[in-house]
Amino acid sequence: MVSIKDVARIAGVSDKTVSRVVNREPNVTQDTIEKVQSAIDALGYIPNLAARSIRSSRTNIIGIITDYISTTPYSGDIVRGVQDWAGANGRTVLLANTDGNAEREANIWRTFKAHRIDGVLYVAMYHRTVAPASGDVSIPTVLVNSHAEAGLTYSSIEPDDFGGSYALTQHLVELGHRRIGYIRLNPLLLGANQRLDAFLAATQAGGIAENDIIVRLGMEGPIGAETNYVYREALSILSMPNRPTALVCGNDEMALQAYLAALSLGLRIPDDITIVGFDDFRTVSLALKPELTTVALPYYDLGWQGAEMLNDLAEGASAIERRILKCNLVGRQSSK
């Protein structure tokens, strides 16, 4: 078996220098890093991670616990952000999916504890409050795309659904729209309620009269098995004698159905009706013609920054943080 001494001999450096390169410690010159890495590649050296974790009390492994890995379009980018951060910082990621099963989740926590991982990112695939089934397992934990239920204390990172929706509505008001329709997401979703609240706040701030705001329910029922009314409600709103000049949809998939309703009535987008969405689900937002004005959810950044927050906790940070990431307006051709 190739040892660290073999690598040091080939690279012409000390054992300690090889160790510093392998552990990505600072104050090592680029020339030394290249010599050591060349020796590692030539010899096929594999660091003894178990021995290293015993010496340092760190395994350099972080765990991800998810619920439903593909509930929301592009939410898998959260995991990609974590994995990219881990790759850039010499960490390994263990990923476990609970499928929403509390018993399975409890078993995952126990398994992660047994492997002495450095911390856990508890990732919700849609924005909501959560109560991790961690029991008495004391592992540094950051909640991602979520925050803790009342009475629980966890650091968390989540998107600013309210701010994104407010900016989108403000954009419409600034374009001159004075009569606006809104088709809302499932009321069981935290993000759905934040987006609607922001829409109502922004229209009020913009001086839009209450009777010039038309709000309809687009879907309801169990998450992932909703009854969908979007096309019907879009058709109803757009058929009004005094129809709105803009229609806000709770997400981009709803906007797709609103497009179809508008086209079935012979309406031109955006000349006859402005339609906007939320999420920037690019399979929809860029495929629609004209391309859809929407708001982008920062999924990748939730993963990357969540991993940074977890690393700080694992290194001894004690402050509990609730970080809110901006959702940026993406202006395209469907609004005017």
Side-chain angles (χ1 to χ4, degrees), residues 6-333:
D6 297 321
V7 174
R9 178 173 49 80
I10 296 297
V13 298
S14 68
D15 300 359
K16 185 176 180 180
T17 298
V18 174
S19 178
R20 290 174 65 193
V21 171
V22 168
N23 290 307
R24 303 192 182 200
E25 293 179 14
N27 302 321
V28 182
T29 66
Q30 187 59 38
D31 180 61
T32 299
I33 291 172
E34 290 174 1
K35 285 195 296 184
V36 170
Q37 191 58 56
S38 177
I40 287 172
D41 293 342
L43 295 173
Y45 172 67
I46 299 174
N48 187 333
L49 298 180
R52 187 198 303 173
S53 68
I54 291 171
R55 290 193 302 270
S56 67
S57 77
R58 293 284 299 275
T59 61
N60 284 332
I61 298 172
I62 58 176
I64 299 176
I65 297 178
T66 70
D67 40 23
Y68 307 98
I69 193 66
S70 59
T71 297
T72 306
Y74 288 165
S75 56
D77 279 352
I78 297 174
V79 174
R80 186 169 63 86
V82 175
Q83 291 174 325
D84 284 355
W85 181 91
N89 290 276
R91 306 295 197 275
T92 300
V93 176
L94 296 181
L95 173 63
N97 183 24
T98 70
D99 285 327
N101 184 294
E103 183 178 352
R104 180 181 297 178
E105 182 184 325
N107 287 335
I108 291 167
W109 282 102
R110 285 192 288 270
T111 300
F112 281 173
K113 183 181 181 182
H115 283 81
R116 300 177 62 245
I117 66 172
D118 294 335
V120 171
L121 290 164
Y122 190 87
V123 178
M125 288 294 128
Y126 62 91
H127 188 192
R128 67 183 197 275
T129 59
V130 296
S134 56
D136 62 352
V137 178
S138 56
I139 303 175
T141 301
V142 172
L143 310 182
V144 181
N145 204 28
S146 59
H147 62 265
E149 291 183 359
L152 300 176
T153 304
Y154 288 92
S155 286
S156 61
I157 182 168
E158 58 194 305
D160 186 4
D161 280 283
F162 185 96
S165 181
Y166 195 99
L168 178 65
T169 308
Q170 190 174 51
H171 171 67
L172 296 178
V173 172
E174 290 172 352
L175 287 174
H177 295 283
R178 308 304 296 172
R179 184 167 169 81
I180 305 175
Y182 189 96
I183 302 179
R184 67 175 301 185
L185 280 165
N186 192 334
L188 295 179
L189 296 169
L190 173 63
N193 295 312
Q194 292 180 344
R195 294 175 194 183
L196 176 60
D197 289 346
F199 168 77
L200 295 174
T203 50
Q204 182 180 33
I208 308 297
E210 232 179 272
N211 58 5
D212 284 325
I213 298 169
I214 301 97
V215 177
R216 299 286 178 81
L217 179 64
M219 56 178 59
E220 63 182 347
I223 306 299
E226 294 94 342
T227 302
N228 191 313
Y229 313 122
V230 178
Y231 182 81
R232 181 191 74 190
E233 295 303 327
L235 205 60
S236 172
I237 291 173
L238 297 178
S239 298
M240 290 178 169
N242 184 23
R243 69 169 178 266
T245 59
L247 179 59
V248 180
C249 300
N251 66 18
D252 294 344
E253 291 173 296
M254 284 184 163
L256 169 59
Q257 296 185 64
Y259 265 56
L260 295 175
L263 293 173
S264 74
L265 295 170
L267 299 176
R268 297 165 301 163
I269 303 165
D271 295 330
D272 299 319
I273 180 71
T274 280
I275 297 177
V276 299
F278 203 108
D279 290 352
D280 198 21
F281 177 29
R282 295 191 174 191
T283 302
V284 172
S285 62
L286 295 181
L288 287 172
K289 297 295 179 284
E291 292 180 357
L292 182 67
T293 291
T294 184
V295 173
L297 284 167
Y299 284 133
Y300 183 88
D301 290 338
L302 289 173
W304 183 285
Q305 292 190 36
E308 288 181 326
M309 292 171 65
L310 181 62
N311 186 61
D312 290 342
L313 282 178
E315 291 185 346
S318 58
I320 298 299
E321 178 184 1
R322 183 178 176 187
R323 187 179 300 181
I324 311 293
L325 295 192
K326 183 178 180 180
C327 297
N328 290 313
L329 174 67
V330 183
R332 298 197 180 100
Q333 294 77 44

